[in-house]
Amino acid sequence: MADIGSAIIPVTGSGRVTLHALADLQFGSKACDTYLMKHEFQRVLDDPSGGMSVILGDLTDDDRPSTRDMRKAAFHARPEVQDADARDKKFFIDHKVIPMLLPLAQTKRGIIGVLAGHHWSYVRVKGAGGVRYVNSARYICDELGRLTKRRVPYLGIMSAWIRLQFRGPNNLGVAKLIHIQHGVGGGQTLASALNKLEMTARWAEADLLIRAHDCKLVAAKTVRLGPREDRGGKQKSLRAKDIALLNIGAMTRAYVLDADEPDYAEMGMMRPTAMGWGEAHFDLRRCSSAEDPGRNWMADIRVTI
């Protein structure tokens, strides 16, 4: 893990709340389908539960770790070249990326977190303390927060946990822990994405795990069994806890007809990318007596693609 962050998001009210998971926009790439992306954004804006979203990285078509190192090494003695790159990137983000993402940040529930992923660059920011070079994903979060007057959490580079605090009637509620990861590696089958999620679920404590990067659309559930204890610590019965798994697609097409040099997906003869993303739906309700003798509140999770 390159970085880890967390965010606690209070969610009030009963009924269904939907979390829209977005990733791999690669905005600026010739393969980015901006029309489809705007259509998918509109689905978030039209969501009656409040349009809550989380972004799992690769917002723009930028350097990946290896090319960032190569660029830095190539222009080590020419800081003005790196400075010019950072200026250009800021201009692109300010005039193209921020206007595109701003409506998502302005919904009732907003953007609850952003990862950087593999593809990001440095942005030149000048302030009272002088010039700084900031991770472009962090800069996007800061700018969206400034424009909306509410925090858009930057959650690090590759993975993070988010705790959703649900509050029902009489201020009673339940918390759900989400693990998000940008993801690494490829794999030719849908089973490979599901296998990576199941492997992560072995060590990452979470009720919902969301993964991106390999552009496979997979939604599934597994179950974790354990003892249920009363307040005195006495074992009463067994409980089965659902763990939801969601792997999401992208907005960048592979195999685009073009006379120019193909992108690296085509050059590597990788599988075509799955277009589209996924959602997690949280339904707040009271437990049955079989689920919990105390009939406390719970939030059912359903994942869709």
Side-chain angles (χ1 to χ4, degrees):
M1 298 179 195
D3 200 356
I4 299 177
S6 63
I8 299 176
I9 311 297
V11 180
T12 58
S14 59
R16 168 167 285 194
V17 175
T18 297
L19 173 64
H20 300 264
L22 322 175
D24 296 287
L25 286 67
Q26 301 278 356
F27 191 63
S29 166
K30 67 179 181 180
C32 176
D33 191 331
T34 54
Y35 177 83
L36 179 60
M37 184 164 59
K38 290 176 181 178
H39 174 77
E40 292 297 307
F41 283 174
Q42 192 61 48
R43 291 184 58 199
V44 181
L45 301 180
D46 293 339
D47 177 7
S49 75
M52 181 167 60
S53 60
V54 62
I55 303 176
L56 277 68
D58 287 6
L59 286 84
T60 55
D61 185 33
D62 278 315
D63 285 331
R64 53 189 182 272
S66 59
T67 55
R68 274 197 302 274
D69 291 342
M70 290 167 61
R71 185 186 298 273
K72 186 176 180 180
F75 297 103
H76 176 71
R78 296 286 305 278
E80 68 275 14
V81 174
Q82 299 182 54
D83 183 77
D85 282 348
R87 287 173 183 264
D88 291 343
K89 179 53 61 177
K90 182 178 184 300
F91 182 86
F92 173 74
I93 288 175
D94 286 342
H95 292 82
K96 297 292 185 179
V97 182
I98 296 296
M100 177 185 66
L101 295 178
L102 185 58
L104 298 182
Q106 292 173 326
T107 63
K108 177 183 176 181
R109 303 193 188 276
I111 301 172
I112 66 170
V114 176
L115 290 175
H118 289 107
H119 296 268
W120 55 270
S121 60
Y122 288 104
V123 173
R124 186 184 193 273
V125 180
K126 187 175 182 180
V131 173
R132 295 182 299 124
Y133 297 95
V134 181
N135 175 311
S136 55
R138 183 188 291 274
Y139 174 73
I140 289 170
C141 291
D142 292 344
E143 281 298 289
L144 291 175
R146 182 183 65 83
L147 293 170
T148 59
K149 301 296 190 293
R150 64 197 232 187
R151 182 170 174 258
V152 177
Y154 171 69
L155 298 179
I157 296 176
M158 292 300 287
S159 66
W161 276 269
I162 301 174
R163 187 179 301 277
L164 285 181
Q165 298 280 2
F166 295 93
R167 286 290 178 265
N170 302 319
N171 205 34
L172 297 175
V174 64
K176 287 295 182 181
L177 189 62
I178 305 171
H179 182 263
I180 59 172
Q181 59 173 321
H182 176 69
V184 297
Q188 294 293 310
T189 66
L190 295 177
S192 65
L194 188 58
N195 181 61
K196 289 182 175 69
L197 280 166
E198 287 191 283
M199 293 289 285
T200 306
R202 294 182 182 181
W203 57 261
E205 177 64 29
D207 301 291
L208 166 66
L209 295 96
I210 310 176
R211 182 179 174 276
H213 177 69
D214 60 16
C215 308
K216 297 180 176 69
L217 285 169
V218 180
K221 277 189 178 181
T222 186
V223 177
R224 185 172 294 159
L225 194 65
R228 179 185 290 113
E229 299 177 346
D230 62 16
R231 293 182 179 178
K234 184 178 179 181
Q235 183 175 323
K236 303 289 290 184
S237 60
L238 294 177
R239 63 174 178 83
K241 178 182 178 181
D242 286 346
I243 309 297
L245 309 173
L246 179 62
N247 208 93
I248 60 177
M251 280 299 131
T252 46
R253 298 186 181 277
Y255 300 91
V256 177
L257 287 175
D258 197 314
D260 295 331
E261 184 177 342
D263 64 17
Y264 65 86
E266 297 173 56
M267 292 173 70
M269 291 300 291
M270 301 177 189
R271 59 182 294 279
T273 54
M275 303 295 285
W277 295 310
E279 297 89 31
H281 309 282
F282 301 88
D283 293 311
L284 191 63
R285 65 174 178 87
R286 279 195 178 275
C287 296
S288 68
S289 57
E291 293 171 315
D292 180 3
R295 299 206 62 196
N296 292 306
W297 286 92
M298 71 174 295
D300 289 323
I301 305 178
R302 291 174 173 82
V303 283
T304 59
I305 53 175

